[in-house]
Amino acid sequence: MSGAALGIEIVVVFFLALFLLHRYGDFRKQQRMVLFGTLLAWYLCFLIVFILPLDVSTTIYKQCLIDHEAHAPTPSPMYSVSPVLIEHKTVCEHIFCPFFQSTQRVCYKPWSYIPDGIMPVFWRVVYWTSQCLTWLLLPFMQSYARSGGFSITGKIKTALIENAIYYGTYLFIFGSLLIYVAVHPQWHLSWYELQTIGITAANTWGLFLLVLLLGYGLVEIPRSYWEASCQGHLLIKTYFKAAKLMTEKADSEENLEDVMEEVRKINESIKYNHPLRKNVDTILRKCPVEYQEKMGRNMDDYEDFDDKHNTHPTERSLSKLHKQVIYAVQRHNRTHVQWQILLEQAFHLEDVAKNETSTSRQFVHSFAPPEPVGWFRRYIYTPTVEWYWECLLKQWFYRILSVLLSLFSVAVVWSECTFFSTHPVLSLFAVFIQLAERDYNYLYIEMACFITIFFLCTCIYSTVFRIRVFNYYYLASHHQTDAYSLQFSGMLFCRLTPPLCLNFLGLIHMDSAISHQAKEQTAYTSIMGSMRVLSFIANGFYIYYPMLIVILCIATYFSLGTRCLNLLGFQQFMGDEMTSDLIDEGRELLRRERRKRQRIEDGESRRKEWRERYAQRDEIAGRNRTSMSEMKETNYGETLNSNTNRQVKYTPSSSQTGRDSIELLQDAEPLDFNAETLTDDPLQSEPGRHAGGRYFSMSSSRSRIFDDV
């Protein structure tokens, strides 16, 4: 089991990152390089979070061995036992411990023990790969993805120009540091110390942003679950979101119309034989299908491209237009999908409000589900079960979960303010880990570490997913996130995860740079280097800056940031009174959409009913026609045989002509002939004209033409 736990977590984390990328990205439309870079960044960050508890349990076991060797009593000469070979506590207590002169707790290996030499190499590869991604590759790939170039060379050139200032700043800082070290001979910095300075600088930047995001998430996540338990409040907030989203949707449609108008003008000005025509065709392929059908390719105009009367755009202007088209189409599609999702959420909340007073205790939906009902909803999640969950149990579940998360947030805030105190131990998470360490309960240690770091990651990463910087950075689910936002999130994850793990190790007193304890270091902290090179950061910034989280939590609790944005003109949800206009507007928009959808469903149901009714009438009419035609053919055959006998009797010479007429009439099956109108002697009819009689189908059609209406 030593390496199985590591292998299982590596595979599970990969599929978790792949699932999230599939939810937010689009595998079919986005570039493979963008998807690969984002997947690698997310995967490495999640891997650090999931593997770190195994590193902690392995380090505690090594510390136990060190302490045992330092304080182990002298065993009897007849029984020499190495403590490294003792793997199980029960075996130790019942077999080997009686031979020692004093009772000692003997170490045993955890179930997830990782052999020596694996974790340092693993952390070094994961850490430096993530740092290369966040500081070098992902910024370049961001510019490459947003570039409007029409070739790989053009996109690379644009990306290098945009990142020249970005990379130049790093080179300037690094060069200044080297010059400063060279000028002062008393500074003898080795490559290891320079590496530690770089790691410390990156972690300091990440910790600065980490505390800001963590202070928001510790309050907002429990509050969001508490608000989710209040259906009325959640419905009002949904009305507010609907009004804002409709404004954004109208703005995106207007922006798309403006961009498509520019594309139309350029499509008309650049003819088929122009050198830039292939670039125009590339732009047209990025436009929506309806606009492509309107504009066409303009292949009928044979004007020369060097006509002096027309001013043609340059390749640079086409690249800029290409970039605008990509952005406008992406924004239009995103707002359209978000509007449909918000409508479904609002209709569901309105259905919950209506079903709360239902006496039948069965959940009734206003509209039929778009997808057919599966076996889960048919046999397990029945309307009765759905009513109990949506109208009764869900509210209490969210309230209990909100209270538990609030207690966890209070524990995190207290531990962030007191983790530097080792005597006495004030950090709650350090107390829990040390209690489990006394009994060598490695499973409890790993679970406690995993739950703690998972909660911290949830508070931080959820803030990254919720945050929105105008329209430049926005993570939208249902495959609506653009390439720039995906890569920007990967950059943030890679910069936030290493300081988050160091902060967690400080909370449980596993980082000697903060706790100042002579204990075995984890393999993760060993690759970070000693912080003694920059003692003012290790003893000052890393200890006192996390205390700022108290102020940030108080500001988030009273919604100071939301109030400031509202004062600056950015509409934010502030309750019923301050945003009543937008709430009323959203309620009216949803009422209009409900009526529209109701009319569509009523029309579909009427058409279905008419089709079923006409199908039944056509089936009954078809049976009647078939039976009547069979009866008439039988009567007509008998009459025709008798008339034929008469014809043979009275006019023997015309037997061949009568036989031909009979065969001709018998072959005419689709026509219903009325034999009752035949004369006694069909041979007395006018020459050149068929024997008398009339068609039953024509006469019946006059009387039954409106029967089916």
Side-chain angles (χ1 to χ4, degrees), residues 25-37:
D26 193 346
F27 289 169
R28 295 177 300 176
K29 297 181 180 180
Q30 289 175 337
Q31 301 176 3
R32 297 293 180 266
M33 184 182 67
V34 173
L35 297 174
F36 176 75

Side-chain angles (χ1 to χ4, degrees), residues 250-487:
D251 188 21
S252 65
E253 292 175 354
E254 183 179 356
N255 184 28
L256 182 63
E257 289 288 344
D258 296 339
V259 174
M260 291 299 105
E261 181 64 21
E262 295 183 9
V263 174
R264 185 189 62 80
K265 293 179 181 179
I266 291 180
N267 181 47
E268 293 177 354
S269 62
I270 296 182
K271 311 305 176 184
Y272 76 100
N273 53 357
H274 197 280
L276 298 178
R277 183 63 204 183
K278 59 180 181 179
N279 297 341
V280 177
D281 294 338
T282 303
I283 295 176
L284 289 176
R285 285 194 293 269
K286 301 295 178 62
C287 298
V289 179
E290 57 271 16
Y291 290 98
Q292 293 183 22
E293 295 175 353
K294 291 179 181 178
M295 289 182 286
R297 290 193 58 183
N298 195 16
M299 295 295 293
D300 298 332
D301 199 339
Y302 289 91
E303 286 188 33
D304 194 3
F305 65 85
D306 59 351
D307 189 4
K308 297 180 179 180
H309 298 286
N310 295 329
T311 57
H312 301 290
T314 61
E315 186 175 359
R316 184 176 181 181
S317 61
L318 287 179
S319 300
K320 184 178 179 180
L321 180 62
H322 187 202
K323 185 177 180 180
Q324 292 176 354
V325 168
I326 295 174
Y327 171 74
V329 172
Q330 172 69 27
R331 185 185 176 193
H332 177 265
N333 295 336
R334 185 187 68 210
T335 53
H336 180 73
V337 172
Q338 287 178 334
W339 175 252
Q340 298 298 327
I341 296 172
L342 187 62
L343 287 180
E344 295 296 334
Q345 294 176 356
F347 293 156
H348 178 72
L349 291 175
E350 291 178 348
D351 291 342
V352 171
K354 293 178 181 178
N355 283 273
E356 284 181 347
T357 58
S358 175
T359 57
S360 61
R361 298 183 181 272
Q362 288 190 350
F363 198 89
V364 180
H365 294 272
S366 299
F367 304 103
E371 300 179 355
V373 179
W375 65 271
F376 180 77
R377 296 184 64 89
R378 186 179 295 111
Y379 300 107
I380 300 177
Y381 197 64
T382 59
T384 304
V385 176
E386 186 177 4
W387 186 90
Y388 277 101
W389 168 250
E390 294 290 345
C391 302
L392 188 62
L393 299 178
K394 186 177 180 180
Q395 302 177 8
W396 289 103
F397 174 76
Y398 280 167
R399 290 174 184 174
I400 295 173
L401 182 60
S402 176
V403 172
L404 294 178
L405 293 177
S406 300
L407 295 176
F408 219 106
S409 297
V410 172
V412 171
V413 174
W414 172 262
S415 300
E416 290 285 355
C417 297
T418 59
F419 71 92
F420 57 87
S421 176
T422 56
H423 300 287
V425 179
L426 298 179
S427 175
L428 298 179
F429 300 106
V431 172
F432 297 152
I433 297 300
Q434 290 178 6
L435 289 176
E437 185 179 352
R438 294 175 183 176
D439 297 331
Y440 301 106
N441 192 345
Y442 294 110
L443 182 61
Y444 173 81
I445 292 173
E446 293 174 2
M447 292 301 299
C449 291
F450 176 76
I451 293 174
T452 304
I453 196 172
F454 181 78
F455 178 74
L456 295 176
C457 291
T458 303
C459 295
I460 296 171
Y461 292 164
S462 64
T463 307
V464 173
F465 279 95
R466 290 184 182 185
I467 195 173
R468 179 174 183 177
V469 184
F470 299 104
N471 287 317
Y472 295 100
Y473 171 73
Y474 182 42
L475 290 175
S477 58
H478 297 82
H479 323 291
Q480 299 303 314
T481 306
D482 58 348
Y484 182 87
S485 299
L486 284 175
Q487 292 175 330

Side-chain angles (χ1 to χ4, degrees), residues 1 65 130 187 190 230 299 306 311 315 341 367 416 466 510 529 533 613 622 627 634:
M1 287 295 292
L65 295 179
S130 63
W187 285 59
S190 62
C230 305
M299 295 295 293
D306 59 351
T311 57
E315 186 175 359
I341 296 172
F367 304 103
E416 290 285 355
R466 290 184 182 185
M510 296 290 291
V533 180
R613 184 181 300 178
S627 60
T634 304

Side-chain angles (χ1 to χ4, degrees), residues 86 88-98 104-106:
I86 300 176
H88 299 283
K89 181 179 177 182
T90 56
V91 176
C92 163
E93 291 177 347
H94 292 88
I95 300 178
F96 296 105
C97 288
Q104 294 287 333
R105 291 187 176 182
V106 183

